[in-house]
Amino acid sequence: MESALTNSSSSLAGRKVNFSSPRGFFTKFRTKCKETFFPDDPFKPISQEPNRLMKAKMALEYFVPVFQWLPKYNLQKLKYDVLAGITITSLAVPQGISYANLASIPPIIGLYSSFVPPFVYALLGSSNTLAVGTVAACSLLIAETIGEDMAKEDPTLYLHLIFTATFITGVFQFTLGFLRLGILVDFLSHSTITGFMGGTAIIILLQQLKGVFGLVHFTHKTDVVSVLHSVFSHRQEWKWQSALAGICFLAFLQTTRYIKKIKPKLFWVSAMGPMVVVLVGCLVAYLVKGAEHGIQTVGPLKKGLNPPSIQYLNFDAKYLPLVIKAGIVTGLIAMAEGIAIGRSFAVMKNEQTDGNKEMIAFGLMNVIGSFTSCYLTTGPFSKTAVNYNAGTKTPMSNVVMGICMMLVLLFLAPLFSYTPLVGLSAIIMSAMLGLIDYEEMYHLFKVDKFDFLVCMSAFFGVSFLSMDYGLIISVGFSIIRALLYVARPSSCKLGRIPNSVMFRDIEQYPAAEEMLGYIILQMGSPIFFANSTYVREKILRTIRDEPADVEFLLLDLSGVSSIDMTGMETLLEVRRTLMSKDIKMVIINPRFEVLEKMMLSHFVEKVGKEYVFLSIDDAVQACRFNLSTAKPEQSY
Amino acid sequence: MESALTNSSSSLAGRKVNFSSPRGFFTKFRTKCKETFFPDDPFKPISQEPNRLMKAKMALEYFVPVFQWLPKYNLQKLKYDVLAGITITSLAVPQGISYANLASIPPIIGLYSSFVPPFVYALLGSSNTLAVGTVAACSLLIAETIGEDMAKEDPTLYLHLIFTATFITGVFQFTLGFLRLGILVDFLSHSTITGFMGGTAIIILLQQLKGVFGLVHFTHKTDVVSVLHSVFSHRQEWKWQSALAGICFLAFLQTTRYIKKIKPKLFWVSAMGPMVVVLVGCLVAYLVKGAEHGIQTVGPLKKGLNPPSIQYLNFDAKYLPLVIKAGIVTGLIAMAEGIAIGRSFAVMKNEQTDGNKEMIAFGLMNVIGSFTSCYLTTGPFSKTAVNYNAGTKTPMSNVVMGICMMLVLLFLAPLFSYTPLVGLSAIIMSAMLGLIDYEEMYHLFKVDKFDFLVCMSAFFGVSFLSMDYGLIISVGFSIIRALLYVARPSSCKLGRIPNSVMFRDIEQYPAAEEMLGYIILQMGSPIFFANSTYVREKILRTIRDEPADVEFLLLDLSGVSSIDMTGMETLLEVRRTLMSKDIKMVIINPRFEVLEKMMLSHFVEKVGKEYVFLSIDDAVQACRFNLSTAKPEQSY
């Protein structure tokens, strides 16, 4: 009786399931590890190279990308890179000062941060477009985490803690890159980042009202309610001159952005905008002796290059938890942003970036930065976009920016001390307005409501709670979604497409014909502990809902990428339940990994090899033959 | 040029991809919710019933299962249930006293806990085999969480907090059941439970050394190191008489278990064992006036039924966090254990249990229990196994047990006050020895190393750290595993099985033939933010590793159960990269949900409908025709 199904299937020569012995544990383990940590298999070309010297050269080129592009460098490329480097410097100066202001640290630190890190990135970075610099969101977040109270009470200690956090960020990023844990960044989804950026832009925008209205008293909290309350409760401090200047500057900057949007070739108008605002602001403040009229300016900026700061790193146990939290959270966000931005622009130029290499580059950039009076840097969107538009060809543009910044620090820094705060506020506001991606949000709403939820939870979480909570909630939703995918895998009933041997979802293809007495279920994703109860319910429900008598349940496992002990036990449990109803369970096309486990755990023996088929069509043919001859009662 | 591929595919009439308009959001949302929370679709038969009265009756039967089985009850069934009920009572008395001891509460509470809850379960429970009672692991865990220091310092407050924790457990379980969140229990995998049970058994076993050696001073910690240190550092307290008695009792109990194992029909020998130990122990202790010779006994047990305890529930803010933690953690474990055990035995009898109903039953059982001087109850393994072996037919056996316990409480309770602690220790040890499932662990090791890791992390975490950390670590690993499944979905290269239109994994089926110029990749599980980078790397790597020139990349999406915005953008990104290498990307058999999203986000428009096929074979035929006529440069 056992051979009832085999008889017919043996007529289909060469179409048998391959039950040969499973691979050893270490083979599987190595494959798994490789897929998990080295999906891009970077060392293959190196290991295939026979010549030892060439091998070493290739490894060097791999680990230090500058050796890849520098030998091919030429004057033509240099022309573009110099132009791009000068353009991004004109953005780096005002942004550096503004974002340092946002982080409540001396503005000169912002300028220092655009000098050393670009050189490090130029050596190690894998993107040809990325421009290095500080970012608004992380500047605010680092200040929020370490605490702005401390910035007021003990600014020196606060600054040292910022350096320490930057050091920790660097070590963290480097370690992740070295351990090839880019997988962590994968869990910051596009939707999370869109929402987080939007929410951050909102709170940073509102923070700028302090500068625009020239307020002296202001809240340290960042959420929308506290900030708006703070702005309106200090109405007596509002200065109309400041507000007017702010509106003019903002209108000017938005106009330059608009020009760029209409005529992309005029991108340099928008890129120079912030510098113009700073220069005009300085000039006006200097001429009208602003300080005497209550116009707040940046204050003294010393000439000179970055002083060493390695001696300031503070690992006092009292502050360490705070500093570690700040370092890791900002490190993760900065990295995700930098990698995502680098990748987006690389795709536009049909180039590749390497996430793990980028992490190592960012990590070393921040470690060395923390030794040389810089704070957290990554690849900001605005600078990178300008760099791209300016036609940069290689990371050399970062070197050019570094050299320009050196000149600024050596000779021009004191000039910028007259920069009015209202000008900086306008620059930040203009940058932030570009970061709220309404269109993307609307697109998410239309296509995928859960993605929209993830995005909105980050957006509103950041705006109304705090930056870290917003991020955690959003990532939490993303992970719940990922878990729901596996906890409730989709499955569907198949029917035969007329005049073919294809079986497709009967809901999707209404023309597909179901066969009397058969239920063909296509399972999806892995079957394992997290969804085994569901899979069981789903199968039993499908059979219960079937109006006609069912004689065969065909489980198409082509889409089942993996199975665990609980999953196999569930299938056996289902089989037992079906047996009591005289229904036979047939397994179709288990994948390599799944079949291996089924062999190891004797699942196949229990089910019977003659109940495992290579295709639905084979199974249906074998069952049809069997249907009239074998009685289920006997065959078990 | 655009129609190059269409021309040929149109010859395959009726085999076209169905591009009809996507379903509305609410249709999809309802389906999703139903699949997530009502996978068993319990209300379908009720809603299909036309008669209103019948409808109400069916609903009542659904929500209060006693109405399902009581009308069909008969004398024959009663005979079995009475026998089973008496047998489990003989286990309930010693276990009740022992586990109360483990929880550091008065032993009478253990007896009370076997009186009220069984009646509640009999009304609402969906399993015919489950026997209600207290469990060792949760008894110890609740004591560990609330703190045994308090048990010493203020036993009354401690007891009240235990009642409160039980109340919270009940509310929590009921809420989960009512909200149909059985999905949470799914994440406690079989491996986690095996490891957790084994680890708990080890630490409870070691705890019993206190009773066996008659120690007075003992640590409050539960980890192996502390307990062993405590036992050996108090060597001067060891009492050989106690140890000898303990070893005799344990040997007797293990012999009864062995008898049961050899002759399953003699299960009652093993079931009566603990009662015999208690009675013999009482007799000996009474005869030799044990208390005078330093034999520790249970101490006074009052006659009488459960007093009300609702007035003792203590929601003081000072203890609330502790109590909530204890209630929720023990509630989750008790529930997972109870549901898993109920289900395992139901499957053996070809019956069904309903996880959500069980949660509601457990929840009400604990809420009402907390009002009537009971502490945490669920379905323990030992009692349920005995109940099953005794041939119980319905939850009536729980009612019989409840009645027997009533008689014990009313008339016999004081007798048990002579029970020597060493006897209880032996009973617990014997029960725990049965809970360490070496065979299952070895099986896990052989079949699935990651499952084994999950199991061992619970086992060693519980033994060497603490129960909650062990559990958290193990669940953490399970979730990482679930996330890894989606972050690194398996994919494979397909080839044609000779003389067929089937395409299968070339690694699994070495006979499958690859076709020159084509790469056919079968993707698995959803493509979304968590794996989009990986999917991209994997595709590009496969193409890079191909020795011959590639002209077509065929992506078989049959196994892709879902896709999100990031996933679609990644595929578009891959397509752009391929275009620059003159490789065409073809999409094969997207599922219903995936195709819907692809239509909504205009993915299909961007790729071109003529590049989407229903089967690999169709695509290959269309491409073959196209290969010689269309030039890729022109068609884009």
Side-chain angles (χ1 to χ4, degrees):
Chain A
M1 211 59 254
E2 278 285 301
S3 60
L5 284 171
T6 330
N7 283 342
S8 57
S9 67
S10 67
S11 67
L12 305 156
R15 300 177 67 164
K16 279 184 191 152
V17 178
N18 180 3
F19 290 115
S20 59
S21 61
R23 293 169 295 176
F25 167 65
F26 287 102
T27 316
K28 280 189 288 185
F29 186 72
R30 258 190 52 206
T31 316
K32 277 271 172 213
C33 282
K34 198 184 129 194
E35 289 296 327
T36 308
F37 300 110
F38 296 90
D40 52 349
D41 197 6
F43 302 121
K44 197 174 173 182
I46 300 176
S47 66
Q48 282 176 341
E49 174 64 43
N51 187 331
R52 277 226 186 142
L53 208 68
M54 278 302 287
K55 215 172 205 157
K57 188 171 162 266
M58 281 171 84
L60 191 68
E61 281 179 4
Y62 176 76
F63 288 109
V64 190
V66 68
F67 290 108
Q68 238 168 65
W69 58 264
L70 202 56
K72 300 178 210 150
Y73 206 68
N74 55 32
L75 260 182
Q76 180 66 18
K77 285 183 186 169
L78 184 64
K79 212 179 71 189
Y80 281 105
D81 284 338
V82 166
L83 183 71
I86 293 173
T87 318
I88 52 177
T89 310
S90 75
L91 202 61
V93 174
Q95 273 193 356
I97 298 175
S98 311
Y99 296 164
N101 213 15
L102 215 50
S104 311
I105 52 177
I108 191 79
I109 303 291
L111 297 184
Y112 289 158
S113 301
S114 290
F115 169 49
V116 175
F119 289 104
V120 179
Y121 186 80
L123 284 178
L124 296 165
S126 70
S127 159
N128 284 331
T129 322
L130 201 83
V132 169
T134 55
V135 279
C138 292
S139 301
L140 187 62
L141 183 55
I142 207 169
E144 198 189 276
T145 314
I146 294 189
E148 305 210 34
D149 287 336
M150 196 185 288
K152 286 258 165 69
E153 284 162 22
D154 189 348
T156 317
L157 174 64
Y158 175 79
L159 181 60
H160 295 176
L161 293 182
I162 296 256
F163 288 147
T164 318
T166 305
F167 175 74
I168 287 173
T169 297
V171 171
F172 172 68
Q173 291 175 336
F174 180 83
T175 312
L176 284 191
F178 185 75
L179 297 178
R180 305 194 62 88
L181 287 173
I183 192 170
L184 279 186
V185 177
D186 291 354
F187 281 94
L188 286 176
S189 70
H190 186 66
S191 319
T192 298
I193 291 181
T194 307
F196 180 80
M197 289 289 157
T200 312
I202 294 281
I203 61 173
I204 293 176
L205 265 174
L206 290 177
Q207 292 257 317
Q208 303 318 312
L209 294 178
K210 180 193 177 201
V212 171
F213 286 116
L215 299 180
V216 180
H217 297 93
F218 204 68
T219 179
H220 294 158
K221 296 190 179 153
T222 58
D223 64 294
V224 170
V225 177
S226 308
V227 171
L228 282 183
H229 178 259
S230 186
V231 169
F232 285 99
S233 64
H234 296 104
R235 251 164 305 182
Q236 71 287 356
E237 292 183 9
W238 288 13
K239 299 195 188 64
W240 68 266
Q241 303 94 327
S242 177
L244 185 68
I247 291 168
C248 291
F249 284 140
L250 188 59
F252 166 71
L253 287 170
Q254 287 305 97
T255 312
T256 62
R257 292 175 77 91
Y258 184 72
I259 290 173
K260 185 188 102 185
K261 207 175 163 190
I262 302 276
K263 292 215 170 187
K265 282 215 164 178
L266 296 178
F267 70 89
W268 54 269
V269 174
S270 147
M272 294 293 175
M275 194 55 129
V276 172
V277 167
V278 167
L279 293 179
V280 170
C282 284
L283 203 68
V284 172
Y286 179 75
L287 290 179
V288 305
K289 301 207 170 130
E292 288 167 21
H293 294 79
I295 296 180
Q296 298 174 41
T297 55
V298 164
L301 286 172
K302 266 196 313 185
K303 264 189 204 175
L305 295 182
N306 303 17
S309 63
I310 186 167
Q311 70 276 27
Y312 299 141
L313 297 186
N314 183 336
F315 297 102
D316 191 334
K318 195 171 152 199
Y319 307 113
L320 203 59
L322 209 66
V323 166
I324 289 180
K325 187 186 160 197
I328 289 183
V329 174
T330 52
L332 206 56
I333 296 173
M335 201 161 71
E337 192 186 340
I339 293 176
I341 288 167
R343 200 175 116 186
S344 325
F345 283 101
V347 169
M348 286 200 246
K349 292 167 82 176
N350 263 322
E351 292 174 349
Q352 296 258 352
T353 59
D354 180 328
N356 290 305
K357 270 191 219 170
E358 291 289 283
M359 281 190 239
I360 290 179
F362 289 161
L364 282 179
M365 194 161 97
N366 284 316
V367 168
I368 296 174
S370 72
F371 296 164
T372 53
S373 300
C374 305
Y375 80 110
L376 185 75
T377 45
T378 181
F381 177 76
S382 49
K383 253 186 183 174
T384 306
V386 168
N387 202 23
Y388 173 79
N389 280 320
T392 176
K393 297 290 171 212
T394 65
M396 186 60 94
S397 56
N398 279 305
V399 174
V400 174
M401 172 176 74
I403 293 169
C404 293
M405 283 308 295
M406 187 179 73
L407 299 176
V408 168
L409 284 169
L410 285 178
F411 306 111
L412 303 174
L415 282 186
F416 296 108
S417 58
Y418 290 99
T419 317
L421 292 185
V422 61
L424 296 184
S425 292
I427 293 169
I428 297 180
M429 287 177 96
S430 170
M432 291 305 119
L433 284 174
L435 282 188
I436 309 176
D437 198 343
Y438 316 98
E439 284 171 27
E440 178 67 22
M441 291 179 192
Y442 177 69
H443 191 57
L444 284 178
F445 174 74
K446 265 186 63 189
V447 176
D448 194 326
K449 302 294 188 285
F450 207 114
D451 264 350
F452 183 68
L453 172 71
V454 166
C455 177
M456 285 298 107
S457 61
F459 185 80
F460 287 109
V462 169
S463 323
F464 287 94
L465 295 171
S466 74
M467 293 172 76
D468 39 1
Y469 276 112
L471 192 71
I472 289 170
I473 294 171
S474 179
V475 170
F477 273 120
S478 304
I479 289 183
I480 287 178
R481 172 179 221 189
L483 290 177
L484 269 182
Y485 270 125
V486 289
R488 296 287 182 261
S490 68
S491 56
C492 53
K493 254 165 94 175
L494 303 184
R496 189 197 289 270
I497 301 278
N499 309 318
S500 80
V501 291
M502 286 191 283
F503 291 81
R504 292 292 180 267
D505 186 354
I506 51 169
E507 206 187 342
Q508 189 179 8
Y509 296 96
E513 296 158 352
E514 286 190 79
M515 278 170 300
L516 209 68
Y518 293 78
I519 288 186
I520 309 172
L521 264 185
Q522 184 180 41
M523 312 307 294
S525 77
I527 299 182
F528 66 142
F529 69 94
N531 61 27
S532 58
T533 315
Y534 170 76
V535 166
R536 178 171 141 271
E537 294 296 344
K538 176 85 193 203
I539 296 177
L540 297 181
R541 185 182 90 200
T542 311
I543 291 177
R544 204 183 62 198
D545 289 353
E546 187 73 9
D549 269 359
V550 179
E551 299 203 53
F552 290 96
L553 170 75
L554 279 62
L555 284 184
D556 179 7
L557 301 189
S558 325
V560 175
S561 46
S562 192
I563 198 163
D564 77 347
M565 284 298 301
T566 318
M568 283 183 285
E569 270 162 29
T570 303
L571 290 186
L572 287 177
E573 198 184 311
V574 166
R575 182 167 166 273
R576 269 197 297 276
T577 309
L578 294 185
M579 264 165 64
S580 68
K581 296 177 181 170
D582 287 345
I583 302 172
K584 288 184 181 178
M585 189 174 92
V586 174
I587 302 286
I588 291 160
N589 191 25
R591 287 199 186 188
F592 202 15
E593 206 189 311
V594 173
L595 190 60
E596 269 178 353
K597 287 235 180 87
M598 287 182 163
M599 302 285 290
L600 271 178
S601 68
H602 307 289
F603 177 92
V604 172
E605 279 172 40
K606 286 173 199 157
V607 171
K609 278 190 183 177
E610 60 279 10
Y611 288 93
V612 184
F613 290 91
L614 192 55
S615 77
I616 302 178
D617 191 48
D618 291 356
V620 168
Q621 283 181 39
C623 292
R624 184 170 293 160
F625 173 77
N626 182 54
L627 199 59
S628 50
T629 56
K631 289 214 180 74
E633 293 86 354
Q634 288 170 271
S635 53
Y636 287 83
Chain B
M1 215 55 254
E2 276 286 301
S3 60
L5 284 171
T6 330
N7 284 342
S8 58
S9 67
S10 67
S11 66
L12 306 156
R15 301 178 67 165
K16 278 185 192 153
V17 177
N18 180 3
F19 290 114
S20 60
S21 62
R23 293 169 295 174
F25 168 64
F26 286 102
T27 317
K28 278 188 288 183
F29 186 71
R30 257 190 52 205
T31 316
K32 276 271 172 212
C33 281
K34 198 184 128 196
E35 290 296 328
T36 307
F37 299 111
F38 296 89
D40 52 347
D41 198 6
F43 303 121
K44 196 172 175 186
I46 301 177
S47 66
Q48 283 176 341
E49 174 63 44
N51 186 332
R52 277 228 188 143
L53 207 68
M54 279 301 288
K55 215 172 202 155
K57 189 171 160 266
M58 281 171 81
L60 191 68
E61 282 178 3
Y62 176 75
F63 287 109
V64 190
V66 69
F67 290 108
Q68 238 169 64
W69 58 266
L70 202 56
K72 299 179 213 148
Y73 206 67
N74 56 33
L75 260 182
Q76 181 65 20
K77 284 183 186 169
L78 184 65
K79 213 176 72 188
Y80 281 104
D81 284 339
V82 166
L83 183 71
I86 293 174
T87 318
I88 52 177
T89 310
S90 74
L91 202 62
V93 175
Q95 273 193 356
I97 298 175
S98 311
Y99 295 163
N101 213 13
L102 215 50
S104 311
I105 52 176
I108 191 78
I109 303 290
L111 298 184
Y112 290 158
S113 301
S114 289
F115 169 48
V116 175
F119 290 103
V120 179
Y121 186 80
L123 283 178
L124 296 166
S126 70
S127 158
N128 283 331
T129 322
L130 201 83
V132 169
T134 54
V135 279
C138 293
S139 301
L140 187 63
L141 183 55
I142 206 171
E144 196 189 277
T145 315
I146 295 191
E148 306 209 34
D149 286 336
M150 195 185 287
K152 286 258 165 70
E153 285 162 22
D154 190 348
T156 318
L157 174 63
Y158 176 77
L159 181 60
H160 295 178
L161 293 184
I162 297 260
F163 288 147
T164 317
T166 305
F167 175 75
I168 286 172
T169 297
V171 171
F172 172 66
Q173 292 176 334
F174 179 83
T175 313
L176 284 192
F178 185 75
L179 297 178
R180 305 194 61 88
L181 287 174
I183 193 170
L184 279 186
V185 177
D186 292 354
F187 281 94
L188 286 177
S189 70
H190 185 66
S191 319
T192 297
I193 291 182
T194 306
F196 181 78
M197 289 288 157
T200 313
I202 294 281
I203 60 173
I204 293 178
L205 265 174
L206 290 177
Q207 290 258 316
Q208 301 318 311
L209 294 179
K210 182 195 176 199
V212 170
F213 286 116
L215 299 180
V216 181
H217 298 94
F218 205 68
T219 178
H220 294 158
K221 295 191 181 150
T222 58
D223 63 295
V224 170
V225 177
S226 308
V227 171
L228 282 183
H229 179 258
S230 187
V231 169
F232 285 99
S233 64
H234 297 103
R235 252 166 303 181
Q236 70 288 357
E237 290 182 10
W238 288 14
K239 296 193 191 68
W240 68 267
Q241 303 94 327
S242 179
L244 185 68
I247 292 169
C248 290
F249 284 140
L250 188 58
F252 167 72
L253 288 169
Q254 288 303 98
T255 312
T256 63
R257 292 176 78 91
Y258 184 71
I259 291 174
K260 186 189 100 183
K261 207 175 164 191
I262 303 275
K263 291 214 171 186
K265 281 216 163 176
L266 296 177
F267 69 91
W268 53 268
V269 173
S270 147
M272 293 295 175
M275 193 55 127
V276 171
V277 166
V278 167
L279 293 179
V280 170
C282 285
L283 203 68
V284 171
Y286 180 73
L287 290 179
V288 305
K289 300 208 168 124
E292 288 168 21
H293 293 80
I295 297 181
Q296 298 176 39
T297 56
V298 164
L301 287 172
K302 265 196 316 186
K303 265 188 205 176
L305 296 182
N306 304 17
S309 62
I310 186 166
Q311 71 275 24
Y312 298 140
L313 297 187
N314 184 336
F315 296 103
D316 191 333
K318 195 171 151 198
Y319 307 113
L320 204 58
L322 211 64
V323 165
I324 289 180
K325 187 186 159 199
I328 288 183
V329 174
T330 53
L332 206 57
I333 296 173
M335 203 160 72
E337 191 185 340
I339 293 175
I341 287 167
R343 201 175 115 189
S344 324
F345 284 101
V347 169
M348 287 200 244
K349 293 166 81 177
N350 264 321
E351 291 175 348
Q352 296 255 351
T353 58
D354 179 329
N356 290 305
K357 271 193 219 171
E358 291 288 284
M359 281 190 240
I360 291 180
F362 290 160
L364 282 179
M365 194 161 96
N366 283 317
V367 167
I368 295 174
S370 72
F371 296 165
T372 54
S373 301
C374 304
Y375 81 109
L376 183 74
T377 46
T378 181
F381 176 76
S382 49
K383 253 185 182 174
T384 307
V386 168
N387 203 22
Y388 172 79
N389 281 319
T392 178
K393 296 289 169 211
T394 65
M396 185 60 93
S397 55
N398 279 305
V399 174
V400 174
M401 173 176 71
I403 294 170
C404 293
M405 284 307 296
M406 186 177 74
L407 299 176
V408 168
L409 285 170
L410 285 177
F411 306 112
L412 304 174
L415 283 185
F416 295 108
S417 57
Y418 290 99
T419 317
L421 292 187
V422 60
L424 296 184
S425 292
I427 293 170
I428 297 180
M429 288 177 96
S430 169
M432 290 305 118
L433 284 174
L435 283 186
I436 309 176
D437 200 343
Y438 316 97
E439 285 171 27
E440 178 67 23
M441 291 179 191
Y442 177 68
H443 191 58
L444 284 177
F445 174 73
K446 265 187 64 189
V447 177
D448 193 325
K449 302 294 187 286
F450 207 113
D451 264 350
F452 182 69
L453 172 71
V454 166
C455 176
M456 285 299 107
S457 61
F459 185 80
F460 288 108
V462 168
S463 322
F464 288 92
L465 295 171
S466 73
M467 293 174 76
D468 39 2
Y469 276 112
L471 193 71
I472 289 170
I473 294 171
S474 179
V475 170
F477 273 121
S478 304
I479 290 183
I480 288 178
R481 173 181 217 185
L483 292 177
L484 270 182
Y485 271 126
V486 291
R488 295 288 182 263
S490 66
S491 57
C492 52
K493 252 166 96 176
L494 303 183
R496 188 197 290 268
I497 301 278
N499 309 317
S500 79
V501 291
M502 287 189 286
F503 291 81
R504 293 290 180 271
D505 185 355
I506 52 168
E507 205 186 343
Q508 190 178 9
Y509 297 96
E513 294 159 351
E514 286 191 80
M515 277 169 302
L516 209 68
Y518 293 78
I519 288 186
I520 310 173
L521 263 186
Q522 183 181 40
M523 313 304 296
S525 77
I527 299 181
F528 66 142
F529 69 94
N531 60 27
S532 57
T533 316
Y534 171 75
V535 166
R536 175 170 144 273
E537 294 296 343
K538 175 87 193 198
I539 296 176
L540 296 182
R541 184 183 89 200
T542 312
I543 291 176
R544 202 183 63 198
D545 288 353
E546 187 74 9
D549 268 0
V550 180
E551 299 206 51
F552 290 95
L553 170 74
L554 280 62
L555 283 184
D556 178 8
L557 301 189
S558 324
V560 175
S561 45
S562 192
I563 198 164
D564 77 347
M565 284 298 302
T566 318
M568 285 184 285
E569 269 162 28
T570 302
L571 290 185
L572 287 176
E573 197 184 311
V574 167
R575 182 168 167 273
R576 268 197 300 273
T577 309
L578 294 185
M579 263 164 64
S580 68
K581 297 178 181 169
D582 287 347
I583 302 173
K584 289 185 179 179
M585 188 173 90
V586 174
I587 301 286
I588 291 160
N589 190 25
R591 286 198 187 190
F592 202 14
E593 207 189 308
V594 174
L595 190 60
E596 269 178 354
K597 287 236 179 87
M598 287 182 163
M599 302 285 290
L600 272 176
S601 66
H602 308 289
F603 177 92
V604 173
E605 279 173 41
K606 286 172 198 158
V607 171
K609 279 190 185 180
E610 62 279 11
Y611 288 93
V612 184
F613 290 91
L614 192 54
S615 76
I616 302 178
D617 191 47
D618 290 358
V620 168
Q621 283 181 39
C623 292
R624 185 168 293 162
F625 173 78
N626 182 55
L627 200 59
S628 51
T629 56
K631 289 217 181 72
E633 294 85 351
Q634 286 171 271
S635 52
Y636 288 82

